[in-house]
Amino acid sequence: MFDLLIKGGTLPDGTASDIGIRGDRIAALGRIEGAAREVIDATGDLVSPPFVDPHFHMDATLSYGTPRVNASGTLLEGIALWGELREIATVDEMVDRAVTYCDWAASMGLLAIRTHVDTTPDHLRGVEAMLEVKARVAPYIDLQLVAFPQDGLYRTKTGRENVIRALDMGVDVVGGIPHFERTMEEGTESLRDLGRIAAERGLMWDVHCDETDDPMSRHVEVMAREVTRHGLGGRAAGSHLTSMHSMDNYYVSKLLPLIAESGMTAIPNPLINITLQGRHDTYPKRRGLTRVKEMQAQGITVGWGQDCVMDPWYSLGTADMLDVAFMGLHVAQMTHPEEMARCFRMVTEDNARIMNLEGYGLKVGDKASLVVLDAGNPTEALRLRAERLAVVANGKVIARRHRNDTRLTIAGRPGTVRRRHPDR
């Protein structure tokens, strides 16, 4: 007897398989004839492990327009607006906004999120709020918190002290923002300092690194060196890395092997990078996205991040990681069938690897967390930004949606339209 049985689904690799679930674990795969307390018919539908977002700002989410709209659309104005908002936002308000966002995430099959939490203000209300959110959503969302000194580790008087306080309070990951320090030298020293902290505490390390159009912002090479020095490997991630889109090609030919050697991972955020970067350009206007395919060719694990939803930096968003991957494949020009399938893996398996998630996947013994999509394969899921027909978290069905075919009233044509289409 299974607690839950998913019948007739198609796995991302194209295999048709039933999935039998007992408790919070996958107990069986293949053709299953056993009884179950509940059965979901997924015949012809894609069954995937849950979506994963390794880069988000949950303390600011759903605050768009407060205290006012970002008129210039720039990163710096967004940071200035957030600097005002964090001083007036209460713990309860931040918790309410974040839990509401987690409702959206659960409905979209997004069941693991890494969120950066601003540690700049001495009151650390954001940290307090996000720790509360983490506890509330633990039954269905794996939430990792990053101690993020938004205004710089050294640029503010208590910047370093507050990072340590946040880690002592239970924050999971060490953050950083070297390009926002006063000088390149202080940015370099901040990376050396933060790398030591992560290594000494046995924590993961995730840095907002070179989020700028300046091709001379080269902190990622220092980060790669510190990752190698401390043996952090895949426990470290460089987020954004947008300066790489403007760097000299010869320099990049030296840089990418250094990143690959370190074992660190990379997290571009295509919706936000394409929106915020290049704002000072006339034409040609830079895309603002790092060198995704080139890093992947070096064996570097690269995932797509959401970054923002309705906050001082970005006015849109729905917690849909397929939207993120859809934008990513366009901006990175990843339109070959193999590349599009890779974009789907980037918001599932690769992001899970970046977050070092345990028990993630669709194998016997893995956590029974998955999503049933109204699509036949990963590429079709991206093309349609497919509806989530069912979301299962730790063995429990937490979200359902009826298949929403469009009705037509056109003479001589079918009565309904579904935009699914067989592969050619």
Side-chain angles (χ1 to χ4, degrees), residues 42-340:
T43 303
D45 294 324
L46 177 64
V47 179
S48 168
F51 295 105
V52 178
D53 181 2
H55 189 103
F56 196 64
H57 291 266
M58 199 172 287
D59 48 2
T61 197
L62 306 187
S63 65
Y64 179 68
T66 306
R68 61 190 173 279
V69 168
N70 184 337
S72 69
T74 61
L75 172 65
L76 292 180
E77 184 175 353
I79 292 173
L81 285 172
W82 168 244
E84 296 177 39
L85 177 58
R86 71 190 175 199
E87 296 306 321
I88 60 176
T90 66
V91 171
D92 288 345
E93 177 193 343
M94 285 186 279
V95 169
D96 183 64
R97 286 192 279 103
V99 172
T100 297
Y101 179 80
C102 288
D103 293 341
W104 294 12
S107 76
M108 303 304 289
L110 171 54
L111 302 185
I113 303 170
R114 175 182 288 176
T115 181
H116 294 255
V117 186
D118 190 357
T119 59
T120 301
D122 292 342
H123 55 66
L124 292 184
R125 286 195 294 267
V127 175
E128 181 184 347
M130 293 308 108
L131 286 168
E132 171 65 21
V133 173
K134 180 178 179 176
R136 286 198 195 184
V137 304
Y140 52 98
I141 290 179
D142 188 341
L143 187 60
Q144 291 180 358
L145 307 182
V146 183
F148 176 48
Q150 172 75 78
D151 290 357
L153 190 72
Y154 301 141
R155 195 169 179 169
T156 57
K157 183 177 179 180
T158 55
R160 188 181 189 280
E161 175 188 339
N162 288 347
V163 167
I164 299 299
R165 287 174 58 205
L167 296 174
D168 289 344
M169 290 168 69
V171 171
D172 312 280
V173 184
V174 179
I177 186 168
H179 56 278
F180 211 61
E181 302 292 349
R182 287 189 179 88
T183 64
M184 294 290 285
E185 291 77 10
E186 286 194 343
T188 294
E189 182 52 39
S190 77
L191 286 171
R192 291 173 177 154
D193 196 355
L194 292 163
R196 284 192 298 268
I197 292 170
E200 289 169 0
R201 289 178 173 247
L203 298 175
M204 291 181 284
W205 189 26
D206 189 334
V207 176
H208 283 60
C209 198
D210 301 323
E211 188 184 3
T212 170
D213 293 331
D214 179 5
M216 301 309 294
S217 184
R218 299 178 173 183
H219 292 293
V220 64
E221 70 174 9
V222 177
M223 183 177 180
R225 180 67 188 99
E226 295 308 300
V227 171
T228 300
R229 185 191 311 278
H230 295 293
L232 293 172
R235 288 163 49 203
S239 291
H240 294 291
L241 305 178
T242 57
S243 68
M244 202 185 297
H245 71 68
S246 301
M247 287 176 180
D248 174 79
N249 288 330
Y250 179 79
Y251 172 70
V252 173
S253 73
K254 168 196 170 186
L255 174 63
L256 294 185
L258 293 177
I259 296 173
E261 176 190 37
S262 75
M264 65 180 282
T265 62
I267 311 170
N269 301 282
L271 290 167
I272 313 307
N273 294 154
I274 197 67
T275 299
L276 296 180
Q277 303 309 131
R279 288 279 180 166
H280 297 282
D281 294 352
T282 54
Y283 288 93
K285 192 176 280 283
R286 285 169 287 184
R287 289 171 175 264
L289 191 73
T290 193
R291 304 189 188 208
V292 176
K293 292 197 288 186
E294 291 80 0
M295 284 194 285
Q296 290 174 331
Q298 292 280 337
I300 299 164
T301 297
V302 183
W304 297 125
Q306 169 78 70
D307 199 4
C308 304
V309 168
M310 297 186 69
D311 66 11
W313 298 275
Y314 188 61
S315 55
L316 304 172
T318 62
D320 187 351
M321 292 305 292
L322 288 178
D323 276 348
V324 177
F326 186 77
M327 174 62 85
L329 77 84
H330 283 83
V331 182
Q333 299 181 328
M334 297 176 69
T335 53
H336 187 277
E338 292 180 3
E339 293 173 335
M340 290 190 288

Side-chain angles (χ1 to χ4, degrees), residues 383-416:
R383 178 174 66 84
L384 299 174
R385 271 84 82 221
E387 299 282 11
R388 282 63 164 174
L389 302 176
V391 178
V392 179
N394 297 317
K396 299 183 184 299
V397 181
I398 63 168
R400 298 179 188 269
R401 181 190 293 269
H402 293 296
R403 203 180 303 276
N404 192 23
D405 295 347
T406 301
R407 296 178 182 177
L408 283 186
T409 53
I410 301 174
R413 299 308 300 156
T416 59

